Amino acid sequence: MRILVSNDDGIHSPGLAVLARVARRFGEVRVVAPVDEQSSASHAITSARPLSSRRTPWFAEAVAYRVNGTPADCVALGLQQWDDVDLVLSGINRGVNLGNAIWHSGTVAAAKQASLQGVRAIAFSTPTTHDEPDYAALEPHVERVLRLLGRNAFRDGLPDGCRLVNVNLPPQPRGMAWARQAVHGYANTIVPDEDPRGRQIFWFTAIPIEHTEPGTDLWAFGRGFITLTPLTMELTDGAALDRAREALPLDDPATAPPVAGEVREHEQDA
């Protein structure tokens, strides 16, 4: 089994080293990660300049490369450079990725890039306070998740839809739970400030969400459970689309032939 490991905290993150070490128990591992921290990079890709990839001796147990790009860049490059990858792992992120934080997460974006390219992927995150997370203590829990979601587990009956899973690990888990993404409430705010010269600046920062819905990742994680949330790349609100088509009928593109010189999105400037 070939496993590509990446993150958004950078090639020197201890969480990345732990994830690579656990992954090594399941197959051949290659690490491709950003040269520096790319937290909150979301699914940005680098298109205005070339990328460079350099071999690094940072990982004794795996071939590893550092890339001057985003988490999504790293996964795309890693999959292009290494054939027949079975699984992509991202993390272990310094800080949880729960609820609407998933939208900003570079950790989850690395896993999403794998999913876009047809490869199963799992993103791992854990909370942080003033101290560095105890990544080593999370090793048995990461291994447990990988055994649950590994290739053989999918063959034995896990739904095919679980090809992109977001996992959040409490420091001392009480168990594991499937959970849906919490979408009510936004945990970030803009805080105005001044720089040393008196010029106005702004901090983008997180605020705690006090009320959570039962069954969501925030709710289950707040009760001490490892949360596993299957994600989909489909952003369409299917129910809203059906209602809109019924209430406000529009044209049917199926009745028209393709336009000559059809636009191809990858040939257009972003």
Side-chain angles (χ1 to χ4, degrees):
M1 186 175 185
R2 286 189 162 189
I3 305 172
L4 179 68
V5 181
S6 190
N7 73 348
D8 75 353
D9 287 328
I11 191 70
H12 297 295
S13 168
L16 180 69
V18 166
L19 186 57
R21 183 162 63 241
V22 176
R24 188 67 184 83
R25 302 166 193 168
F26 293 83
E28 185 181 1
V29 172
R30 180 171 292 192
V31 176
V32 182
V35 68
D36 52 14
E37 184 168 346
Q38 297 286 322
S39 294
S40 299
S42 189
H43 208 126
I45 58 173
T46 302
S47 59
R49 61 172 175 82
L51 296 173
S52 66
S53 177
R54 299 287 185 267
R55 182 80 178 266
T56 176
W58 184 249
F59 296 84
E61 69 277 5
V63 173
Y65 296 87
R66 62 186 188 275
V67 176
N68 64 334
T70 68
D73 290 336
C74 292
V75 170
L77 186 60
L79 293 177
Q80 191 273 337
Q81 294 289 310
W82 201 28
D83 295 332
D84 302 321
V85 174
D86 299 291
L87 178 66
V88 171
L89 304 179
S90 180
I92 304 170
N93 188 63
R94 186 189 297 110
V96 294
N97 282 300
L98 296 161
N100 282 321
I102 290 174
W103 288 95
H104 304 288
S105 171
T107 302
V108 177
K112 285 163 54 188
Q113 182 64 38
S115 184
L116 278 175
Q117 297 186 228
V119 179
R120 295 187 300 110
I122 308 170
F124 289 90
S125 304
T126 194
T128 182
T129 55
H130 297 294
D131 299 320
E132 190 79 2
D134 186 355
Y135 294 108
L138 296 175
E139 282 196 34
H141 306 298
V142 173
E143 181 173 353
R144 184 182 174 193
V145 171
L146 290 181
R147 293 198 182 280
L148 175 69
L149 298 180
R151 181 165 54 185
N152 292 333
F154 278 84
R155 290 175 177 172
D156 293 339
L158 277 178
D160 290 337
C162 295
R163 298 185 61 81
L164 172 60
V165 181
N166 184 40
V167 178
N168 283 273
L169 304 156
Q172 297 178 319
R174 299 169 66 180
M176 297 173 62
W178 293 105
R180 71 180 188 275
Q181 179 191 2
V183 295
H184 297 292
Y186 189 61
N188 297 88
T189 188
I190 302 295
V191 178
D193 200 353
E194 288 187 351
D195 70 8
R197 296 185 179 183
R199 295 172 299 191
Q200 190 173 35
I201 58 174
F202 301 91
W203 293 96
F204 196 83
T205 187
I207 57 174
I209 293 179
E210 296 181 359
H211 302 289
T212 59
E213 292 185 39
T216 64
D217 51 4
L218 282 165
W219 176 83
F221 190 86
R223 283 157 176 76
F225 287 85
I226 298 171
T227 61
L228 289 78
T229 302
L231 302 178
T232 175
M233 300 303 293
E234 170 65 77
L235 296 179
T236 306
D237 186 334
L241 179 61
D242 291 341
R243 291 194 300 270
R245 282 173 170 164
E246 182 177 353
L248 301 167
L250 299 176
D251 299 320
D252 182 3
T255 63
V259 176
E262 183 179 0
V263 174
R264 294 178 174 83
E265 61 174 327
H266 298 300
E267 296 175 355
Q268 307 304 307
D269 292 335

